[in-house]
Amino acid sequence: ETGVTQTPRHLVMGMTNKKSLKCEQHLGHNAMYWYKQSAKKPLELMFVYSLEERVENNSVPSRFSPECPNSSHLFLHLHTLQPEDSALYLCASSQGQGITDTQYFGPGTRLTVL
Amino acid sequence: KNQVEQSPQSLIILEGKNCTLQCNYTVSPFSNLRWYKQDTGRGPVSLTIMTFSENTKSNGRYTATLDADTKQSSLHITASQLSDSASYICVVSAILHDMRFGAGTRLTVKP
């Protein structure tokens, strides 16, 4: 295992539901990330947190709301999602934000929006 | 058009054979290039990272090459095993957080 856990592993929700994805890293890293992986498409970086401060937001719709209460935990709050938001959501962490810092990924949450 | 193009999109080989996956990029300025392996139902795992000055790097049976002049990289897998079946993703970094991901090559190793 990579030291990054994600829950739940699978989630099915309706467009009017509100749910949250959770990520926890046990590596003592300072940076955490949310990615979206759609079928046959490249990974898309959604959010970056460094030392609990958001440092990057790649024009993600407001129906996705991240939260980083401490350096070990990262949440992605979901509300009023669309069917095209169905994808694998991956969390990652790295020691720092240096160009050679390796990101360690969690197993992902498979999200289906009905 | 994606700035990182991988080929082939999918590949099927027999166990024990070698294969080479390609990654062409237009990302500039170039910082580093990584290859990740992603097993089905799991997150990507880093295999190699190369900076501008490196043109080859090995990790067991995986050998990555980089030609920064032609902006091409390859990942060579030697003596393939069934456990090599996965998606292989090329990631090119320009500046901090500006990471561009390829769509991946889906490799299937058959007995």
Side-chain angles (χ1 to χ4, degrees):
Chain A
E1 298 301 325
T2 62
V4 181
T5 58
Q6 290 186 243
T7 55
R9 293 294 308 276
H10 301 272
L11 178 62
V12 179
M13 60 186 289
M15 290 190 285
T16 58
N17 291 156
K18 289 184 179 181
K19 296 287 184 183
S20 295
L21 309 185
K22 179 183 177 181
C23 174
E24 184 174 0
Q25 58 98 356
H26 312 274
L27 302 168
H29 288 170
N30 295 316
M32 297 186 77
Y33 312 78
W34 278 117
Y35 288 90
K36 176 184 179 182
Q37 187 175 35
S38 303
K40 297 186 179 179
K41 287 187 178 181
L43 269 75
E44 301 171 48
L45 179 64
M46 301 175 71
F47 300 102
V48 180
Y49 276 82
S50 178
L51 296 172
E52 301 146 49
E53 295 289 327
R54 188 192 303 182
V55 297
E56 187 86 7
N57 173 1
N58 282 349
S59 302
V60 179
S62 59
R63 57 185 183 270
F64 295 92
S65 175
E67 179 190 0
C68 188
N70 55 62
S71 59
S72 298
H73 295 85
L74 186 64
F75 294 90
L76 188 62
H77 304 299
L78 317 171
H79 68 95
T80 338
L81 293 192
Q82 304 298 311
E84 59 265 30
D85 296 322
S86 298
L88 181 68
Y89 287 84
L90 291 162
C91 173
S93 71
S94 61
Q95 179 60 51
Q97 295 178 261
I99 59 174
T100 57
D101 280 297
T102 297
Q103 293 185 18
Y104 293 80
F105 286 83
T109 294
R110 173 67 63 185
L111 174 67
T112 303
V113 182
L114 301 176
Chain B
K1 182 174 165 64
N2 194 15
Q3 292 184 298
V4 180
E5 296 287 341
Q6 291 188 244
S7 61
Q9 196 172 50
S10 61
L11 180 63
I12 301 174
I13 63 173
L14 293 176
E15 186 179 12
K17 298 296 185 183
N18 304 334
C19 67
T20 300
L21 314 180
Q22 298 290 344
C23 174
N24 297 338
Y25 63 93
T26 58
V27 176
S28 181
F30 173 82
S31 171
N32 62 69
L33 185 147
R34 301 170 187 268
W35 283 94
Y36 280 89
K37 177 187 178 188
Q38 184 174 19
D39 292 311
T40 301
R42 296 199 165 191
V45 175
S46 179
L47 292 175
T48 64
I49 174 174
M50 289 182 291
T51 56
F52 184 87
S53 59
E54 298 172 296
N55 55 24
T56 186
K57 186 163 281 188
S58 292
N59 178 359
R61 293 180 296 102
Y62 301 102
T63 299
T65 65
L66 172 65
D67 186 334
D69 292 330
T70 61
K71 298 188 177 181
Q72 295 179 326
S73 175
S74 65
L75 180 69
H76 186 73
I77 304 175
T78 305
S80 61
Q81 300 176 359
L82 299 179
S83 58
D84 293 330
S85 294
S87 288
Y88 292 84
I89 302 171
C90 175
V91 184
V92 182
S93 297
I95 57 176
L96 190 62
H97 297 316
D98 189 9
M99 297 169 64
R100 305 301 171 103
F101 290 79
T105 292
R106 178 71 206 174
L107 174 66
T108 302
V109 180
K110 292 196 168 183

